[in-house]
Amino acid sequence: MKNRNKVLLLGTAGCFALSITSVAVAAAVDQPVFITAADVAAIDPSDDSTSRYIVKYKDGGTGNLQNATSAVPAFSLQKAESFARKHKTKVVKHLASVKSSVLELNPRQLKAMVSDPEVEYIEVDQKRYLFDLITPMAQSTPYGIPMVQANLVSDANAANTKVCVIDTGYTLNHPDLPNSGVSGFAFSGHGSWSSDGNGHGTHVAGTMVALNNNDGVIGVLPSAQADVHIVKIFNDSGNWTFASDLIDGIQSCKDAGAKVVNMSLGGSSSSQTEQTAMTNFYNSGMLLIAAAGNAGNTSLSYPASYNAVVSVAAVDSNRNLASFSQRNAQVELAGPGVAVNSTWNNGGYNSISGTSMASPHVAGVAALVWSNHPQCTAPQIRSALQVTAQDRGTAGRDNSFGFGIVQAKAAVDYLTANGCSGGGGGNPPPAGGETFTNLSASTGSWLRGSYQIPSGVSTLTFTISGGTGDADLYVRYNSQPTETQYNCRPYLNGNAEQCTITNPQAGTWHVGIKAYTSFSGLTMSYSY
């Protein structure tokens, strides 16, 4: 591949400093790892064993992924099957929503596919696990319900917001769980979605929807008004699943009409395909909630650590951070996760701990708040939960508690008083921005900039305009964008492009402007 000079654009107060370097921007350690020809060359040529990979097709090839508003060719199942036959590979499944296929490849097939002109990238289909459960402890009542204020908000309108639980299944005949208004899907070989040989999924579901029937416990949504969709993605042993299966699982939630999805699961390695899918689901109107992880350190877990997903930490009954809860820059909210009592697959109850238990508290509150304000969007509900969370730890957002412990009544009251956009009272959101003029770059080069955006911003807009040539705008949170990794890419001809982010996360937003062809006289601005 031909080396190209990169033009680095550094955002400073009042200037747009330019310098030229031939060193590519280094990828963050948590970024997905793509298979290269060098990787394949290092494999023993006599090894004929197969592994499971996700193959993403290039634009104009078997399938492509571009901005949802762009007019692009649809994924072609016929072409994908033809591609697999060409390489004599076993097809596990096709992921039409992200223009990819899941294939089992041996080293010989992998070597041929890496250099195939139709392929954009190949990555390992990463495994996703149920987070380990801490030793069970006795707990007679679910203290988490009043802690998150769920008992102070009516769920009479819960039917407005269908919830989805992706886990080990659901004990349909449990006396303290809804039996009507429940649908489901189970992956092949895992039995029925309405049975749970593990117990984890039944426990998670109970935290969200256990009935107020004088029996056992109550959930965040206890009136039996909430519709529930269950995806049984793990077998009864609950060992692990694949990132590609998780994409299909959320698609099942979406197809069933669910708006809030709980994922008490994760893994340590990221996946570009999974990240793209999460962004697409979030942008389509779904609110995705996941456990931050139980490693008790600062490592990242996925899917929780994708920007499109709400990462949930765990606290104990004293509102202190659980020792096992992961602490990192992606933690967004906290919920009760130590000695949580909920429904179990034996028809009774069990008290267990983990961020797996904290996540459904937040997912349940999100659905409860949304059901009382169904006119709001997923980002607006997410923002309201952040703004009204009970602050813990360091003042403001921190890596242990995120914005704090989720609060149902505070969020409902906030939206009632201020409207979905949060602009109906109180202090106005902060404003700011900069404009940079007369920018230029040669074909294939990049201009880059990084900008700090404060909390409380309702809308963040990046715009390029004017000049000659053809520039492409890329925007990404927390890392420099690339051609395959970004939060927004308008993908239009010419220089008139804009990215608008609603309720953006506070922190560093990065801009990349790539010269599709040489351009000059370009104006770039950002405002909030």
Side-chain angles (χ1 to χ4, degrees):
M1 181 179 293
K2 181 170 62 177
N3 289 327
R4 289 173 174 169
N5 287 340
K6 307 288 185 180
V7 181
L8 300 185
L9 177 156
L10 307 175
T12 60
C15 69
F16 210 50
L18 302 179
S19 63
I20 298 178
T21 177
S22 60
V23 180
V25 177
V29 294
D30 60 316
Q31 293 306 309
V33 178
F34 301 141
I35 305 298
T36 67
D39 295 328
V40 180
I43 300 175
D44 182 353
S46 63
D47 182 5
D48 200 40
S49 62
T50 61
S51 295
R52 184 160 152 161
Y53 297 91
I54 299 175
V55 178
K56 170 68 172 63
Y57 303 110
K58 280 184 179 177
D59 294 352
T62 305
N64 58 57
L65 176 67
Q66 296 175 3
N67 188 282
T69 61
S70 301
V72 298
F75 179 80
S76 169
L77 180 61
Q78 182 179 5
K79 288 185 178 180
E81 289 287 345
S82 176
F83 177 85
R85 287 194 298 271
K86 178 176 72 172
H87 289 281
K88 300 179 180 179
T89 64
K90 178 182 177 181
V91 176
V92 178
K93 66 173 75 179
H94 299 295
L95 301 173
S97 64
V98 282
K99 313 300 191 296
S100 305
S101 295
V102 181
L103 306 174
E104 287 191 0
L105 307 175
N106 61 34
R108 175 181 50 79
Q109 294 166 328
L110 190 60
K111 181 178 181 180
M113 200 168 289
V114 162
S115 59
D116 192 297
E118 287 190 87
V119 173
E120 181 175 323
Y121 65 76
I122 301 175
E123 63 178 342
V124 173
D125 193 1
Q126 300 289 354
K127 292 180 179 179
R128 297 291 177 251
Y129 302 83
L130 284 174
F131 283 127
D132 293 339
L133 304 178
I134 312 304
T135 303
M137 295 180 285
Q139 180 72 28
S140 60
T141 59
Y143 69 90
I145 301 303
M147 181 182 288
V148 301
Q149 299 183 330
N151 59 318
L152 302 180
V153 178
S154 170
D155 73 331
N157 299 316
N160 289 330
T161 309
K162 191 169 189 174
V163 298
C164 186
V165 179
I166 301 179
D167 217 289
T168 64
Y170 181 88
T171 304
L172 188 62
N173 60 354
H174 196 291
D176 207 12
L177 289 174
N179 290 314
S180 61
V182 185
S183 60
F185 166 76
F187 281 80
S188 177
H190 293 355
S192 170
W193 65 265
S194 58
S195 65
D196 178 10
N198 181 279
H200 189 276
T202 298
H203 193 280
V204 166
T207 294
M208 298 177 70
V209 297
L211 301 172
N212 184 12
N213 59 357
N214 298 316
D215 187 7
V217 298
I218 64 171
V220 176
L221 301 155
S223 70
Q225 298 301 308
D227 290 331
V228 183
H229 186 69
I230 302 297
V231 174
K232 187 171 183 176
I233 199 170
F234 296 100
N235 59 21
D236 288 342
S237 65
N239 288 337
W240 49 265
T241 189
F242 288 102
S244 61
D245 288 340
L246 186 55
I247 295 170
D248 275 344
I250 303 176
Q251 186 65 52
S252 175
C253 299
K254 182 178 181 180
D255 293 344
K259 298 173 71 175
V260 176
V261 179
N262 184 78
M263 298 174 284
S264 291
L265 50 87
S268 60
S269 298
S270 63
S271 160
Q272 178 60 54
T273 309
E274 184 182 52
Q275 179 183 22
T276 299
M278 297 293 166
T279 300
N280 291 347
F281 286 126
Y282 179 56
N283 289 342
S284 74
M286 303 179 78
L287 194 51
L288 311 175
I289 319 288
N294 294 352
N297 55 30
T298 59
S299 63
L300 297 172
S301 289
Y302 301 92
S305 292
Y306 298 129
N307 292 335
V309 181
V310 177
S311 177
V312 180
V315 300
D316 61 20
S317 59
N318 294 316
R319 304 176 189 267
N320 296 320
L321 189 72
S323 60
F324 53 79
S325 188
Q326 280 170 233
R327 310 172 299 280
N328 55 61
Q330 291 297 121
V331 171
E332 187 166 327
L333 292 168
V338 177
V340 174
N341 198 27
S342 186
T343 48
W344 200 246
N345 63 346
N346 60 1
Y349 305 88
N350 199 3
S351 180
I352 56 179
S353 303
T355 53
S356 281
M357 287 61 254
S359 183
H361 278 95
V362 173
V365 167
L368 180 60
V369 173
W370 208 349
S371 71
N372 281 277
H373 291 279
Q375 74 278 16
C376 298
T377 66
Q380 288 169 336
I381 296 297
R382 185 176 183 177
S383 178
L385 297 180
Q386 294 174 0
V387 170
T388 60
Q390 182 186 62
D391 194 16
R392 296 290 293 168
T394 305
R397 193 214 157 270
D398 60 63
N399 289 354
S400 295
F401 299 90
F403 290 94
I405 301 172
V406 70
Q407 302 288 279
K409 186 175 188 303
V412 168
D413 290 349
Y414 172 84
L415 290 169
T416 299
N418 300 295
C420 294
S421 64
N427 297 324
E434 291 178 277
T435 297
F436 307 96
T437 60
N438 201 29
L439 305 176
S440 62
S442 58
T443 301
S445 296
W446 287 83
L447 302 181
R448 296 189 181 277
S450 302
Y451 310 100
Q452 290 296 319
I453 305 302
S455 60
V457 170
S458 58
T459 303
L460 172 62
T461 303
F462 297 92
T463 303
I464 59 173
S465 61
T468 61
D470 191 351
D472 289 333
L473 175 65
Y474 296 75
V475 174
R476 188 180 183 195
Y477 176 74
N478 215 32
S479 297
Q480 290 284 358
T482 69
E483 287 187 289
T484 58
Q485 299 173 351
Y486 49 83
N487 292 101
C488 176
R489 178 191 182 189
Y491 207 84
L492 302 174
N493 292 325
N495 293 342
E497 297 189 356
Q498 184 175 88
C499 284
T500 300
I501 296 94
T502 303
N503 299 316
Q505 287 183 262
T508 305
W509 284 84
H510 300 266
V511 175
I513 304 172
K514 185 177 181 183
Y516 184 78
T517 62
S518 295
F519 65 83
S520 61
L522 183 75
T523 296
M524 176 269 176
S525 64
Y526 74 97
S527 62
Y528 56 87

